[in-house]
Amino acid sequence: DAKTTQPTSMDCAEGRAANLPCNHSTISGNEYVYWYRQIHSQGPQYIIHGLKNNETNEMASLIITEDRKSSTLILPHATLRDTAVYYCIVSREETSGSRLTFGEGTQLTVNP
Amino acid sequence: DVKVTQSSRYLVKRTGEKVFLECVQDMDHENMFWYRQDPGLGLRLIYFSYDVKMKEKGDIPEGYSVSREKKERFSLILESASTNQTSMYLCASSPPDWPQHFGDGTRLSIL
C-alpha cells in the first residue's frame, strides 16, 4: 500500500472549516483514500473514503486531486468535539477488510 | 450502529502470565482484527480473521495467538506476557470490502 504524509498538527477555530491535507504521491490506480480519526482514549472512528471523485457524508467532505497524489479532508464547521488525531490511509478496497496501515496522523485542535 | 466491545478498558498483569483479551461485535461481520498502538509507532496489525476458525498473521504476531470459535468473538492471547507487550490493544471488525469499526481499546500493563 502507498505511504501517506500528513502534517503533525493543526489548529482551527470553532465554527470554521478545518482542512486537513494528505500527500499520497505513490498511490496506484486501484487504491482508495481512507480517513479515520481517534479522539483521546477511544478507538479510531471511520470518517470517509474515496477513489477518484470527491465524496461527502454527514461527517465530512473528501477532495481528491485529479492526479490523485493528494487529498484534503474538510470538516465544514469544526466543533470542540472534533479535536482528535486524523489519519489518512491508502489501501486497496478489497483489502480494506484486511490491512490498514495507520501512521502518526495529524493532531487537530479546535479552539474556542 | 456497529458495536465492537472489548472486555476491559484497563488491565494489569504480571510477567509470565497467560493473558486473554476478548472482543465481541454485534453486526455479524466476517472480518475481525487485533492491533496494538504505541506512541511513535502508530497502529500495528497483530492478527486478523476472515471467518470462524480462520486466522492470518499480521505484521507483529510474535508472542501472540488468537482464537475465533464463534463469528462474533475474537480473542487475543498473550501466551506468556512480557513487559514489552505493555500497550493499547484495539479490536476491529468489518464486513468484506468495507471500512473497519473499532472498539475503545484495552490498555494493558505488564509488570
Side-chain angles (χ1 to χ4, degrees):
Chain A
D1 293 333
K3 182 177 166 55
T4 62
T5 304
Q6 299 176 252
T8 303
S9 63
M10 293 182 65
D11 285 281
C12 176
E14 189 177 18
R16 305 296 293 266
N19 298 291
L20 292 96
C22 180
N23 185 292
H24 32 80
S25 57
T26 61
I27 193 170
S28 60
N30 62 351
E31 289 182 314
Y32 286 69
V33 179
Y34 290 82
W35 283 86
Y36 280 76
R37 73 180 183 184
Q38 188 172 20
I39 296 169
H40 184 62
S41 298
Q42 296 181 20
Q45 177 189 23
Y46 165 76
I47 302 172
I48 199 167
H49 75 291
L51 180 64
K52 292 186 209 180
N53 300 322
N54 299 336
E55 302 287 344
T56 295
N57 63 20
E58 65 279 2
M59 290 182 69
S61 295
L62 174 60
I63 308 297
I64 302 174
T65 57
E66 193 168 339
D67 64 7
R68 304 210 320 123
K69 293 183 186 297
S70 65
S71 61
T72 301
L73 179 75
I74 301 171
L75 308 178
H77 304 287
T79 70
L80 299 179
R81 288 191 299 272
D82 291 321
T83 291
V85 178
Y86 286 77
Y87 298 98
C88 169
I89 299 159
V90 170
S91 181
R92 288 179 292 137
E93 188 172 57
E94 62 266 33
T95 65
S96 71
S98 67
R99 194 178 294 268
L100 292 176
T101 302
F102 286 72
E104 289 302 299
T106 296
Q107 171 66 58
L108 174 69
T109 302
V110 180
N111 300 304
Chain B
D1 274 356
V2 177
K3 185 94 171 138
V4 178
T5 303
Q6 295 184 229
S7 54
S8 306
R9 289 301 304 273
Y10 300 94
L11 203 54
V12 180
K13 296 291 182 181
R14 296 210 171 272
T15 304
E17 280 192 71
K18 189 169 187 175
V19 181
F20 293 85
L21 301 183
E22 305 287 344
C23 176
V24 177
Q25 50 97 1
D26 67 356
M27 287 301 292
D28 203 36
H29 287 167
E30 285 80 1
N31 303 327
M32 295 190 76
F33 313 84
W34 276 106
Y35 294 84
R36 64 179 282 179
Q37 184 173 27
D38 301 286
L41 296 175
L43 272 77
R44 294 178 290 168
L45 181 64
I46 305 171
Y47 267 98
F48 58 100
S49 169
Y50 285 127
D51 203 349
V52 175
K53 297 192 187 296
M54 293 184 67
K55 61 183 179 184
E56 297 281 345
K57 291 180 180 179
D59 298 320
I60 52 163
E62 296 79 19
Y64 303 94
S65 62
V66 289
S67 172
R68 192 162 181 204
E69 296 296 319
K70 293 185 178 181
K71 193 174 186 180
E72 67 271 16
R73 186 179 297 270
F74 193 34
S75 302
L76 180 70
I77 303 154
L78 286 65
E79 297 291 343
S80 178
S82 65
T83 55
N84 63 11
Q85 292 178 309
T86 290
S87 186
M88 168 72 87
Y89 289 87
L90 289 156
C91 175
S93 74
S94 76
D97 304 331
W98 202 246
Q100 297 174 32
H101 295 269
F102 286 80
D104 281 337
T106 295
R107 191 167 291 281
L108 175 65
S109 296
I110 307 296
L111 304 179

